[in-house]
Amino acid sequence: MKTAIDLTIHEEGLKHAIETAKRRNIVIPTFRQMKDPETHTPAAMKEKLKKTGLWDVDSANLFRITWKNEPTNTGGLFGKVNYIELPPALTGVDARIVALVGKWFPTGAHKVGATFGCLVPRLVTGQFDPTVQKAVWPSTGNYCRGGAYNAQLLGCESIAILPEGMSRERFDWLETVAGEIIATPGTESNVKEIFDKVWELKRTRDNIVVFNQFDEMANHLWHYEVTGHAMEEVLNEIMKPGDRYAGVAVTSGSAGTTACGDYLKKLFPNSKIAVGEALQCPTLLDNGFGAHRIEGIGDKHVPWVHNVKNTDMVIAIDDEDSMGFIRLCNEPAGRKYLQSLGLREEFIDQLPLMGISGAANVLMAVKMAKYYELTSKDVVLTVFTDSMEMYNSRLKEMEEEYGTYTEMDAAKDHARHVFGVRTDSLLELTYAEKKRVHNLKYYTWVEQQGKTSEELNAQWYDAEEYWGSIQAMADSIDERICEFNRMAGLL
């Protein structure tokens, strides 16, 4: 079976990529360095980072593509994995819900890691030529932000594609890094419209390379290798004797983050992987469709990179719950109400680290804990993909629609949208139900996007070999990165 991440060398493109790296003083980090930056980042790069802002368009920030950045906007180096544990007084369940924090990546979102994983193998093999080609980033939000940012750092031009209904903050920031921005019709759920625009670009331009997060297997690999290891470290740090790791709960989006669950299942075979979506668009749950407000996830299809056979549960989250949750955690009256519950001010100060899809992830974890009747001995992991930094306009919109937020509103939102979350719109997948979800890939990927039914069958019937071959590629990619850096002569 042909590997899903091609490392074939293209000599002309590689020559141009190396010349670009030399000219722009670009050193590329390895997966090993992203997993353990404190040990493996070159001393000279650490010195440079001490003078570099977290979001600066500076190639040194490639070494900040890690879960372990110091939580500071400028000059930070590395420490432990950034995470936050949510107490029962907030969640309403005894289970320990722990979220990795994406805010402290460059761009403020963990998607910058997935885009690195997709672009760099093509760059260090010469398959992407930065002197003549442009990187196309089709996305529902953070992925094209991360892609355009990494492209700038790596000396590449980019085209960002995202729905016109995404938050104003996303477009404002993209204008600072993307060479071209294309807004497609619709909002979060309108993924097909993004794919249609990609096909149009392929027909009309001969200088583009498309990095589609939904089918780039390096997206799966990056989260398996980097996010998976980060979650393992968190478990090693927080679990006490007698504690149990129950599983991970994450919304689908491109389904890249679900790969961390694949990694942890090899360490904890009885653990669960729960994958979520918006109740207003229940594609995985019910073959459904619709529109919703949980920015950061895309739907109406099953991503090619989703290892469905390894998924144990599908959970749908009402976008009203997610929006109510973020308002509770970010309005001054909400903060005052949370203080009345006995929550520490230092903890409440951290709640803006949770964006809209992060709120959905927490609510998934709550549903999972209730369904399996988890106790204080059980740990459920999830992710804050980004922070409220990209959604302040949504808070203003809710204030305009619903009026000034009061402590009574906060109490109602907490009771209804967090404590009141039930185990409805949830499905523990049988073998047949997993296959039903997997088979939905056919209609998007084989009928529309040019994949083959043979590879679709391989994902299911040869699952261990198919996904295992992808998950084993980090060392081979690291070898290519090291060789590229050696040829550029900058280390």
Side-chain angles (χ1 to χ4, degrees):
M1 183 179 63
K2 183 181 177 182
T3 179
I5 304 175
D6 184 8
L7 297 182
T8 305
I9 301 297
H10 293 208
E11 295 292 349
E12 188 69 12
L14 179 59
K15 175 185 173 185
H16 292 161
I18 290 170
E19 290 170 352
T20 300
K22 286 180 178 178
R23 185 172 66 253
R24 299 185 59 149
N25 200 34
I26 297 167
V27 179
I28 302 176
T30 61
F31 279 86
R32 185 186 186 200
Q33 288 165 327
M34 288 183 279
K35 289 188 294 185
D36 187 3
E38 176 58 37
T39 303
H40 300 296
T41 300
M45 195 61 65
K46 287 182 179 179
E47 287 302 312
K48 188 171 184 184
L49 288 173
K50 290 177 182 178
K51 309 183 189 86
T52 305
L54 183 62
W55 288 36
D56 286 359
V57 182
D58 187 314
S59 63
N61 271 336
L62 292 167
F63 284 84
R64 285 193 171 127
I65 299 177
T66 175
W67 290 100
K68 297 183 175 182
N69 292 311
E70 281 189 67
T72 180
N73 287 321
T74 187
L77 290 177
F78 312 109
K80 294 181 179 180
V81 175
N82 290 304
Y83 70 89
I84 180 172
E85 182 168 347
L86 305 169
L90 178 63
T91 65
V93 295
D94 290 332
R96 301 178 66 188
I97 296 175
V98 179
L100 270 63
V101 175
K103 152 81 175 176
W104 303 113
F105 280 90
T107 76
H110 79 324
K111 289 281 190 180
V112 74
T115 60
F116 175 95
C118 295
L119 175 57
V120 163
R122 306 263 191 102
L123 193 66
V124 299
T125 56
Q127 295 175 32
F128 181 86
D129 186 335
T131 65
V132 296
Q133 293 177 313
K134 295 183 179 182
V136 177
W137 305 99
S139 169
T140 54
N142 282 331
Y143 180 82
C144 68
R145 290 178 60 243
Y149 179 81
N150 276 334
Q152 278 272 45
L153 267 54
L154 290 161
C156 311
E157 292 191 47
S158 60
I159 302 171
I161 306 176
L162 74 166
E164 62 189 359
M166 302 305 291
S167 68
R168 185 66 252 166
E169 289 91 340
R170 276 176 163 83
F171 284 98
D172 290 344
W173 189 85
L174 269 172
E175 288 172 2
T176 68
V177 292
E180 183 178 352
I181 302 170
I182 299 174
T184 54
T187 55
E188 201 66 46
S189 295
N190 296 88
V191 175
K192 184 177 183 299
E193 289 77 0
I194 298 169
F195 291 171
D196 290 345
K197 177 57 69 172
V198 168
W199 281 111
E200 179 187 321
L201 293 180
K202 286 180 176 179
R203 289 192 301 269
T204 58
R205 306 191 191 188
D206 61 3
N207 67 334
I208 62 168
V209 177
V210 177
F211 296 92
N212 186 339
Q213 62 175 327
F214 301 100
D215 77 347
E216 287 276 343
M217 286 301 172
N219 180 4
H220 176 93
L221 173 64
W222 190 87
H223 283 293
Y224 179 89
E225 190 71 11
V226 182
T227 304
H229 278 86
M231 286 187 165
E232 179 187 9
E233 289 187 33
V234 170
L235 290 174
N236 288 337
E237 180 181 340
I238 69 170
M239 287 178 68
K240 302 184 289 289
D243 283 357
R244 300 172 294 261
Y245 165 61
V248 63
V250 288
T251 44
S252 175
S254 67
T257 310
T258 63
C260 67
D262 291 1
Y263 175 81
L264 291 172
K265 264 199 176 189
K266 292 188 175 178
L267 304 177
F268 305 92
N270 293 324
S271 64
K272 306 294 185 182
I273 300 173
V275 179
E277 61 188 355
L279 179 61
Q280 286 73 16
C281 188
T283 305
L284 307 179
L285 184 70
D286 200 30
N287 298 5
F289 57 92
H292 64 88
R293 296 175 293 170
I294 304 177
E295 298 187 47
I297 66 176
D299 23 39
K300 288 197 275 199
H301 81 294
V302 181
W304 188 249
V305 304
H306 183 178
N307 182 5
V308 178
K309 197 171 186 179
N310 214 21
T311 299
D312 301 288
M313 178 179 284
V314 170
I315 300 175
I317 297 297
D318 191 329
D319 66 2
E320 194 71 21
D321 291 332
S322 195
M323 302 305 287
F325 194 13
I326 64 161
R327 202 170 189 209
L328 164 68
C329 293
N330 289 277
E331 292 279 6
R335 289 177 53 93
K336 193 172 180 182
Y337 164 77
L338 293 174
Q339 286 174 343
S340 74
L341 300 180
L343 295 177
R344 293 178 295 105
E345 192 165 346
E346 310 91 83
F347 169 77
I348 296 171
D349 287 342
Q350 294 184 78
L351 288 174
L353 295 172
M354 175 180 69
I356 298 175
S357 62
N361 283 342
V362 172
L363 295 175
M364 280 183 63
V366 169
K367 277 183 174 262
M368 186 179 184
K370 289 184 176 182
Y371 181 84
Y372 288 117
E373 300 179 323
L374 302 181
T375 74
S376 59
K377 292 289 187 182
D378 296 295
V379 177
V380 180
L381 293 176
T382 190
V383 172
F384 290 169
T385 53
D386 58 13
S387 71
M388 285 302 296
E389 200 155 359
M390 287 292 117
Y391 306 109
N392 287 320
S393 61
R394 298 306 190 204
L395 292 175
K396 186 176 181 182
E397 289 165 5
M398 285 190 283
E399 182 177 11
E400 291 171 354
E401 183 174 356
Y402 301 116
T404 302
Y405 200 68
T406 67
E407 280 191 68
M408 182 62 73
D409 292 325
K412 289 190 293 186
D413 281 347
H414 193 211
R416 177 184 174 189
H417 298 303
V418 186
F419 276 25
V421 167
R422 300 172 297 181
T423 56
D424 56 351
S425 305
L426 175 155
L427 182 64
E428 190 172 20
L429 299 177
T430 64
Y431 180 87
E433 286 159 346
K434 292 179 184 183
K435 194 171 184 185
R436 185 264 304 170
V437 175
H438 172 80
N439 287 345
L440 287 176
K441 289 186 180 183
Y442 177 87
Y443 303 100
T444 298
W445 298 105
V446 178
E447 287 194 343
Q448 298 175 18
Q449 304 300 326
K451 303 293 186 184
T452 67
S453 56
E454 289 77 15
E455 188 174 355
L456 180 63
N457 283 332
Q459 287 191 354
W460 185 265
Y461 294 108
D462 302 320
E464 188 172 339
E465 179 185 353
Y466 182 94
W467 298 103
S469 67
I470 296 163
Q471 294 158 0
M473 291 199 67
D475 287 346
S476 297
I477 294 172
D478 276 0
E479 289 174 9
R480 283 301 322 149
I481 292 171
C482 290
E483 178 63 10
F484 181 93
N485 288 335
R486 186 192 66 78
M487 295 172 75
L490 296 173
L491 281 179

